Amino acid sequence: MKEKRAEICVELSSEQLRTVIDSQQLFDAWAEAFERARNFRGGMHWKTAAGKQYLFRTRDRHGYGKSLGPRSAETEKTLDHFHKNKAEAKGREAALRRRLAEQARYCKAARVARVPRLSAALGRELWRAGLEDAVMIVGTNALYAYEAACGVQILSAGRLETQDIDLLLDSRRSLELIVPETRRGGLIGILRKIDKSFTVMDKANFRAVNDRGFMVDLIRPMPKPPWKKQPDMVGKKADLKAADVQHLDWYLSAPKLRQIVIGEDGFPAPFTVPDPRVFALHKLWLSKQLGRDPLKKPKDREQAFLVAALVKRYLPQKKFSKPELRMLPREVAQLADELVDHARAEAKSNIPSGFEPSDRR
């Protein structure tokens, strides 16, 4: 008699899918309005110098900006257009923000509000700070993005339960183009916008922890060669300094996945995470390493098979083929056969692929 396998996830119903899609589209509309309104930050006013009036454009609260020329019919028209467009942009952003708040109630009622509040808030703040392409969410929290991309919910709290979040810094990128405010405050400044109790640990300055013991780790791939100088901080001094970890370059060599997830508060949040195939292969590879913490190996293996099963069933366009995995070392890419074989075995079990049926049509 075959052993009955436990379900690993459940598909969202049609109503839940509509709620999620509406929220994602609404977030995209709000994000566009937010960016437009942000372009009008600062102000525009007349400034007198040497007995003449000049139109001056300030960019931030410190008053930095530049002159747009002496007062004339043209500069007066520029000032009028600025105030009109700024008011329209702010009004649209505020209206869409109110719609997001209304939609959040539907998300909670539909039981699709999944991601821990702090993790979701961090995803939004990384996007707001312009770090979406420079900092990737890795580790267990990435599972929320994978389930959202597949339109399912992973069952068993143990698979998603974590008291930390890992952020991978893309040290290949120059951080000089990041907005000055983000460079000044750094990653710790972003974290303190969410929770003022976050502090950088003295003995492990790659980690910040809040009063509840929630930890945020900043990591980066080991430079090649090890002495090569690459960015290891988002901000200046007193910010988190990324810890070097081997083989994380695999994540950066593959296409990233950007997915809008729904936080526990019902508000959407953009997550940038590794390609799910590379995530699964990396986790399976980790589970086989002699130096890996024995307590972590079972979870590594479980997450590897879980994500591989999601990809095989719901993301068939992502192939576990050698050409598509060419960015990985051969011995790692070869582990794809084990992942695929396990997924096939699940498909032949009493509960196909380990998935619980739903009313999705």
Side-chain angles (χ1 to χ4, degrees):
M1 182 177 178
K2 290 183 179 180
E3 179 183 354
K4 186 176 180 180
R5 299 174 186 265
E7 302 94 334
I8 59 175
C9 74
V10 60
E11 295 178 345
L12 297 183
S13 67
S14 298
E15 181 182 351
Q16 287 176 315
L17 283 173
R18 282 195 298 271
T19 302
V20 170
I21 292 171
D22 287 346
S23 298
Q24 292 171 340
Q25 292 175 342
L26 187 56
F27 178 84
D28 285 337
W30 170 80
E32 183 178 318
F34 175 85
E35 289 287 5
R36 176 167 169 73
R38 183 156 62 175
N39 289 334
F40 288 97
R41 65 182 179 274
M44 193 178 286
H45 59 274
W46 298 112
K47 189 174 183 179
T48 302
K52 276 191 171 184
Q53 283 190 318
Y54 295 85
L55 185 59
F56 198 77
R57 173 75 164 96
T58 56
R59 290 289 181 182
D60 56 30
R61 58 189 176 86
H62 301 287
Y64 298 119
K66 66 176 183 179
S67 172
L68 300 181
R71 188 161 193 162
S72 65
E74 184 177 345
T75 52
E76 287 180 353
K77 187 177 180 180
T78 298
L79 179 62
D80 289 341
H81 283 174
F82 175 83
H83 286 309
K84 178 183 178 181
N85 291 335
K86 181 175 182 177
E88 289 178 353
K90 289 179 67 176
R92 177 171 172 78
E93 187 276 332
L96 287 169
R97 185 159 24 94
R98 288 192 295 271
R99 282 282 296 113
L100 277 173
E102 294 171 3
Q103 184 67 16
R105 294 197 292 271
Y106 291 113
C107 288
K108 288 189 283 187
R111 297 184 179 180
V112 295
R114 295 276 290 170
V115 184
R117 189 180 296 261
L118 196 151
S119 298
L122 182 54
R124 284 189 292 269
E125 289 301 330
L126 289 173
W127 168 80
R128 196 190 299 260
L131 291 174
E132 197 175 20
D133 292 330
V135 177
M136 193 186 325
I137 294 172
V138 296
T140 299
N141 278 271
L143 296 180
Y144 289 110
Y146 301 144
E147 68 168 19
C150 296
V152 303
Q153 289 183 352
I154 296 170
L155 299 176
S156 175
R159 293 188 172 102
L160 295 170
E161 188 175 337
T162 182
Q163 278 298 307
D164 65 351
I165 186 169
D166 297 326
L167 301 179
L168 175 59
L169 179 66
D170 189 346
S171 52
R172 305 169 305 174
R173 294 179 176 272
S174 171
L175 300 179
E176 298 302 320
L177 297 179
I178 294 176
V179 294
E181 183 180 348
T182 299
R183 290 288 285 166
R184 283 193 297 268
L187 185 56
I188 189 62
I190 292 171
L191 291 172
R192 285 174 178 162
K193 287 182 179 179
I194 303 168
D195 183 340
K196 293 181 180 179
S197 69
F198 270 109
T199 58
V200 180
M201 296 184 66
D202 293 331
K203 295 183 179 179
N205 58 357
F206 63 89
R207 173 173 293 166
V209 60
N210 69 1
D211 287 349
R212 296 186 177 183
F214 189 90
M215 294 176 288
V216 178
D217 289 356
L218 182 65
I219 54 180
R220 69 169 185 171
M222 181 78 72
K224 294 180 182 181
W227 55 83
K228 184 177 181 180
K229 193 166 183 63
Q230 291 182 320
D232 60 2
M233 299 174 73
V234 172
K236 308 294 184 181
K237 297 177 181 178
D239 195 17
L240 279 76
K241 185 175 182 180
D244 293 336
V245 180
Q246 289 184 328
H247 308 305
L248 290 180
D249 54 306
W250 301 345
Y251 284 163
L252 299 179
S253 299
K256 300 174 184 176
L257 172 67
R258 181 188 184 271
Q259 180 65 43
I260 296 177
V261 300
I262 309 296
E264 287 178 334
D265 56 4
F267 283 86
F271 268 26
T272 300
V273 297
D275 184 291
R277 295 165 298 181
V278 178
F279 179 94
L281 287 164
H282 180 240
K283 285 290 186 177
L284 185 57
W285 177 85
L286 275 177
S287 73
K288 296 176 181 291
Q289 301 309 299
L290 293 177
R292 182 65 166 170
D293 184 344
L295 299 179
K296 294 182 179 180
K297 285 186 177 184
K299 190 172 185 179
D300 290 335
R301 188 174 177 84
E302 182 184 21
Q303 289 184 350
F305 289 139
L306 167 62
V307 174
L310 291 176
V311 172
K312 289 293 292 180
R313 185 176 176 97
Y314 294 104
L315 303 173
Q317 71 276 19
K318 293 184 177 294
K319 308 294 185 183
F320 280 98
S321 62
K322 290 180 181 178
E324 296 207 20
L325 299 175
R326 60 186 178 276
M327 78 289 294
L328 299 174
R330 180 179 299 177
E331 65 272 18
V332 178
Q334 287 175 342
L335 294 176
D337 292 337
E338 184 176 346
L339 291 176
V340 172
D341 289 344
H342 187 275
R344 286 173 180 163
E346 285 287 331
K348 295 178 181 178
S349 68
N350 291 339
I351 302 176
S353 299
F355 294 86
E356 181 180 299
S358 75
D359 65 347
R360 186 193 294 182
R361 296 289 182 269

